[in-house]
Amino acid sequence: MDKILMTNVRVLDCSGAEPFLGEVLVEGRMIRKVSDQLNALPKQGARVVEGDGAFLMPGLVESHTHLGLNNSNDMFALSALPAEEHTLLAMRNARFYLDHGFTSCMSAGSVKPRLDVVIRNAINAGEIPGPRLLASSPWLTVTGGLLDQHRYHMRREGVGIVLDGPENYRRVVREMIREGVDTIKLIISGDTGIPYAPSHSTVMSEEEVAMVAREVHCRGRRIGAHARSAHSVKLCVRYGVKIVYHATFADEEALDMLQANRDRLFVSPNIGFTAAGIRDTAALGEAGREAHAVFEEEMEAASRALSQLRKRGVRILGGGDYGFESTPHGQNAKDIEFLVKDFNFSPMEAIQTMTRYGGEAMDLAEPLGQVKEGFLADLLLVSGNPLEEINVLQEPRRFLAIMKDGKFHKEPAAGLPLQAAPVGQVSIARQSGSN
Ligand SMILES: [Zn+2]
């Protein structure tokens, strides 16, 4: 079995512990040993990577990915992209995410029914580079819901699948699972700035949600749901949704319900998307005034909900809705910065939304998201301290090496280009302390 020993690295294991200088031994796909001492783990038969004091942390986990988006806001034009071109686009994006340190992604909506499934399968077969991916169905929505792009005056389809009534949901959920998705994506509430389905409204019926839950859970799959209104959040909890997206207007009762079920669910607020909306509508001046007010209202509500959820110990996930014009792919780790700067998360807590808790939300047979023995070897070697320089994770050039499944996607550069001085001092202190 392939052995790789990473030595002289500062391990940010993302359990919540402070980083320590040490070594990590990778065997095959797994992290076999972690030591807080140097020269402690066996070198025999191992390729030794000298980390020169760089930080070693888990690969990042994105909780709300759309690999089929093309950095444009025109979802209708995107729906017109032929399947062949679309597959190539998603394939390039998959590699782009891995290049940006994302070793795992949970899709929150495939732009074509089989797009995620095909990309996931090709990644798993080693045919193309990309993160470990949980494949999603397209957005399942109701008539007049978010991503219902039908119009009376012309025949056209959009990227969402529009369904009304439990029986229609039952059929499509069964079809999607037949095609191989891991996740069914529901649009239970309205969304920001949609006049006929604003965020406060709950557009799916309880009967529809209940039917989906029945069909999904008896097949061992999961539901991820767009839920901004208070009632939609309650439906999510009542029917076992695993990832509640947004939870913007969660009221006291909804917060209580989330808290009571915090061991089995996650909330992914997608804060970067709202922050980008505020920034972009402000730049429009008077023309963007109305939209700006809506985004600000949502940010305020999200901020309230998020601080409550944090207090109540609900696991928060990072990432979400990158791939639009104002939130291009690859900037996903900005969410970590937003959580620190605007929501009073400590850097450690914010980073855990994209590592430890992301790994828990992936919920695979083998654990991931921390640098720990018995965890999958998804690792980043980082030039700089992510706890002190929070935006270091937004810069792929700072990743000296990227490992997924025990294999380097990005090989460690020969003679790692580090400014080693302050790091070296710490390492010496640690060394004498621990030996
Ligand atoms: Zn989305």
Side-chain angles (χ1 to χ4, degrees):
M1 204 184 291
D2 284 350
K3 287 187 192 178
I4 299 174
L5 179 68
M6 319 258 251
T7 186
N8 197 17
V9 288
R10 293 173 74 181
V11 181
L12 173 60
D13 65 13
C14 290
S15 67
E18 286 301 310
F20 55 88
L21 189 80
E23 300 182 322
V24 172
L25 179 66
V26 172
E27 250 182 56
R29 303 168 58 228
M30 312 300 289
I31 298 169
R32 189 58 61 199
K33 284 247 177 279
V34 179
S35 171
D36 60 359
Q37 298 184 12
L38 296 179
N39 303 313
L41 301 180
K43 289 190 173 64
Q44 297 91 314
R47 173 182 169 192
V48 178
V49 174
E50 165 56 50
D52 202 12
F55 280 76
L56 188 73
M57 63 177 287
L60 300 172
V61 184
E62 229 289 341
S63 67
H64 180 143
T65 318
H66 301 296
L67 290 180
L69 295 183
N70 61 349
N71 292 344
S72 144
N73 289 344
D74 191 341
M75 295 291 269
F76 184 65
L78 188 62
S79 74
L81 192 63
E84 295 82 357
E85 280 85 346
H86 219 148
T87 309
L88 292 173
L89 169 75
M91 188 172 126
R92 286 194 301 272
N93 284 340
R95 188 197 172 113
F96 195 68
Y97 272 74
L98 194 49
D99 290 342
H100 283 71
F102 288 91
T103 49
S104 295
C105 290
M106 285 166 261
S107 175
S110 182
V111 187
K112 283 188 166 56
R114 297 186 66 254
L115 191 55
D116 277 358
V117 169
V118 167
I119 295 294
R120 178 203 61 198
N121 292 351
I123 292 169
N124 289 348
E127 292 164 2
I128 60 170
R132 48 180 101 256
L133 178 66
L134 295 186
S136 172
S137 69
W139 300 264
L140 306 191
T141 192
V142 297
T143 294
L146 168 66
L147 294 175
D148 168 12
Q149 296 173 309
H150 293 132
R151 295 295 177 264
Y152 265 127
H153 62 285
M154 59 176 141
R155 286 196 75 80
R156 65 180 208 185
E157 290 295 324
V159 295
I161 299 182
V162 181
L163 302 164
D164 295 296
E167 282 307 324
N168 289 324
Y169 271 92
R170 179 184 343 235
R171 178 179 48 80
V172 170
V173 164
R174 288 176 174 180
E175 285 174 359
M176 288 302 141
I177 294 175
R178 179 192 70 202
E179 296 303 317
V181 302
D182 303 297
T183 302
I184 293 292
K185 175 70 187 289
L186 298 183
I187 305 292
I188 303 182
S189 80
D191 196 31
T192 320
I194 302 183
Y196 48 85
S199 293
H200 294 283
S201 61
T202 304
V203 293
M204 269 185 87
S205 71
E206 177 155 1
E207 292 72 24
E208 288 164 339
V209 178
M211 176 65 90
V212 171
R214 220 190 77 113
E215 296 297 322
V216 170
H217 294 144
C218 74
R219 291 171 176 81
R221 300 299 196 278
R222 61 165 68 186
I223 304 170
H226 171 95
R228 289 198 188 274
S229 68
H231 183 56
S232 67
V233 174
K234 293 170 200 174
L235 290 177
C236 284
V237 180
R238 206 167 295 150
Y239 292 100
V241 167
K242 181 143 189 157
I243 305 186
V244 182
Y245 290 115
H246 313 300
T248 319
F249 294 102
D251 60 14
E252 202 58 25
E253 188 189 4
L255 292 167
D256 287 346
M257 290 170 75
L258 290 167
Q259 182 179 7
N261 289 275
R262 67 187 182 186
D263 293 338
R264 65 154 183 82
L265 57 73
F266 300 82
V267 172
S268 172
N270 306 35
I271 221 65
F273 187 76
T274 308
I278 288 180
R279 185 197 62 211
D280 291 357
T281 49
L284 291 175
E286 192 49 33
R289 200 167 56 90
E290 221 170 287
H292 187 70
V294 175
F295 275 115
E296 291 238 287
E297 185 207 354
E298 298 221 336
M299 188 56 117
E300 235 180 86
S303 170
R304 258 197 314 277
L306 201 48
S307 75
Q308 275 296 317
L309 292 169
R310 176 171 168 244
K311 256 189 230 150
R312 295 162 180 248
V314 176
R315 289 169 293 179
I316 306 290
L317 304 179
D321 277 332
Y322 286 83
F324 292 105
E325 205 175 311
S326 52
T327 54
H329 289 300
Q331 296 190 354
N332 313 53
K334 272 197 171 174
D335 275 30
I336 293 174
E337 191 180 339
F338 287 124
L339 290 176
V340 172
K341 290 192 171 155
D342 300 334
F343 296 92
N344 297 318
F345 278 54
S346 72
M348 182 75 83
E349 284 176 308
I351 290 172
Q352 283 179 311
T353 67
M354 280 194 164
T355 53
R356 177 178 171 173
Y357 300 128
E360 290 175 10
M362 288 290 287
D363 197 9
L364 302 178
E366 292 151 325
L368 72 156
Q370 298 183 55
V371 186
K372 266 194 181 170
E373 292 173 13
F375 274 54
L376 281 167
D378 289 359
L379 297 167
L380 305 176
L381 191 62
V382 185
S383 165
N385 183 350
L387 295 173
E388 284 170 8
E389 207 183 336
I390 201 72
N391 54 9
V392 68
L393 300 175
Q394 298 166 29
E395 298 174 49
R397 66 181 178 86
R398 305 292 288 273
F399 297 135
L400 304 171
I402 298 171
M403 175 183 274
K404 182 192 145 207
D405 257 332
K407 288 201 166 59
F408 284 115
H409 166 66
K410 182 177 187 179
E411 283 281 339
L416 297 174
L418 298 174
Q419 302 91 12
V423 173
Q425 279 164 17
V426 173
S427 73
I428 289 161
R430 285 273 186 172
Q431 236 178 308
S432 51
S434 58
N435 283 346

